[in-house]
């Protein structure tokens, strides 16, 4: 299929599967109005995050890379009563926009936006002590992906799910103005996910590639 045909198919899928939703639409609008980049996951990716969280019965979810909270809303809406989402964001303005969007979606009590670089916050989280996570969604700086995968391997329950966005393009060809560390990070992430023996994983052609893996041991 050509790019134009793919775009038409993607629109068809969104129209068919993803109904208009006031809180999600408002979150995207507020994210754009606040001047944040248009790099939220797509509606179809959001729906897959939601479905995977539901199908795993996820009660404890960690997200790395909040932006305006669009993917966080999809994930948090899959939580059962008493469930919890922690989402990590390095940029204070992004975190503020996300908190407002999550509050507007009625999720202020279940979603905890933690400000700071994930590589600093993750060891703190591990040290605080917490139930093992059921699902970890990685969507922050690409150079950090291998470290985030190591953290997921250590802090997910066996049978838990790791998901990561943007695992395709950098792995296959250089992007303009992209630091080489980002491409190296994505390649090492994919290789480790495929070959460490700790996950059973696949890479789905959704937007710029969605990795989905189940922790085996
Ligand atoms: N998951 C979001 C999109 C995330 S975009 C959604 O789909 O709605 C990536 C986000 O990661 C940006 O907001 C960026 O500020 C944040 N980020 C980048 N480096 C980070 C780091 N080291 N730690 C935490 N967040 C980081
Ligand atoms: C960028 C980051 C993302 O997570 C994404 O989905 C698209 C682009 C970026 O940093 O440019
Ligand atoms: Mg992304």
């Amino acid at each position: 299929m050509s790019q134009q045909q793919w775009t038409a198919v993607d629109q068809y899928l969104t129209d068919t599967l993803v109904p208009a939703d006031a809180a999600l639409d408002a979150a995207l609008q507020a994210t754009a109005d606040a001047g944040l980049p248009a790099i939220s996951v797509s509606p179809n990716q959001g729906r897959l995050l939601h479905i995977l969280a539901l199908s795993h019965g996820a009660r404890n979810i960690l997200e790395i890379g909040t932006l305006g909270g669009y993917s966080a809303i999809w994930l948090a809406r899959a939580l059962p009563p008493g469930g919890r989402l922690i989402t990590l964001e390095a940029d204070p303005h992004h975190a503020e926009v996300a908190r407002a969007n999550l509050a507007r979606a009625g999720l202020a009590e279940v979603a905890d936006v933690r400000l700071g670089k994930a590589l600093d916050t993750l060891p703190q989280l591990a040290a605080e002590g917490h139930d093992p996570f059921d699902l970890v969604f990685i969507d922050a700086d690409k150079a950090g992906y291998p470290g985030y995968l190591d953290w997921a391997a250590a802090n997910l329950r066996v049978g838990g799910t790791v998901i990561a966005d943007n695992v395709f393009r950098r792995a296959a060809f250089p992007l303009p103005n992209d630091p080489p560390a980002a491409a190296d990070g994505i390649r090492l992430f994919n290789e480790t996910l495929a070959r460490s023996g700790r996950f059973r994983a696949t890479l789905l052609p959704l937007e710029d590639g969605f990795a989905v893996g189940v922790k085996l041991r």
Side-chain angles (χ1 to χ4, degrees):
M1 285 196 280
S2 69
Q3 186 58 49
Q4 194 184 359
Q5 288 168 324
W6 272 116
T7 303
V9 167
D10 195 57
Q11 191 61 51
Y12 166 76
L13 294 175
T14 303
D15 292 347
T16 308
L17 291 168
V18 190
D21 180 287
L24 287 167
D25 296 348
L28 282 183
Q29 190 62 51
T31 298
D33 291 348
L36 273 51
I39 57 174
S40 306
V41 296
S42 72
N44 282 313
Q45 288 179 304
R47 196 163 175 90
L48 182 62
L49 289 172
H50 180 83
I51 287 167
L52 290 173
L54 278 181
S55 67
H56 280 259
R59 299 183 59 87
N60 289 298
I61 300 179
L62 178 75
E63 175 179 73
I64 308 176
T66 316
L67 193 67
Y70 179 76
S71 53
I73 294 173
W74 277 108
L75 286 166
R77 282 180 169 178
L79 290 166
R84 194 160 170 71
L85 168 82
I86 298 175
T87 179
L88 312 185
E89 175 53 56
D91 184 307
H93 184 217
H94 297 187
E96 182 188 311
V97 172
R99 287 193 186 109
N101 283 332
L102 286 158
R104 201 183 300 106
L107 295 164
E109 303 300 313
V110 291
D112 179 6
V113 182
R114 300 239 184 148
L115 182 61
K117 284 189 189 299
L119 283 180
D120 298 330
T121 315
L122 289 171
Q124 290 169 19
L125 258 186
E128 273 172 27
H130 54 76
D131 292 338
F133 285 90
D134 303 302
L135 190 156
V136 172
F137 173 49
I138 301 171
D139 192 19
D141 58 305
K142 310 312 166 196
Y145 273 37
Y148 306 150
L149 184 61
D150 287 346
W151 197 92
N155 292 276
L156 274 172
R157 69 169 165 83
V158 170
T161 306
V162 63
I163 309 170
D165 189 29
N166 308 106
V167 297
F168 276 3
R169 284 181 299 186
R170 288 175 183 85
F173 54 84
L175 294 178
N177 307 319
D178 200 44
D184 292 346
I186 294 294
R187 286 198 206 97
L188 182 57
F189 173 90
N190 287 341
E191 282 159 25
T192 307
L193 187 66
R195 296 188 199 142
S196 67
R198 302 202 62 184
F199 295 94
R200 180 78 34 82
T202 190
L203 306 178
L204 299 173
L206 216 51
E207 305 294 328
D208 182 25
F210 232 32
V212 179
V214 174
K215 179 172 155 177
L216 299 176
R217 61 175 175 81

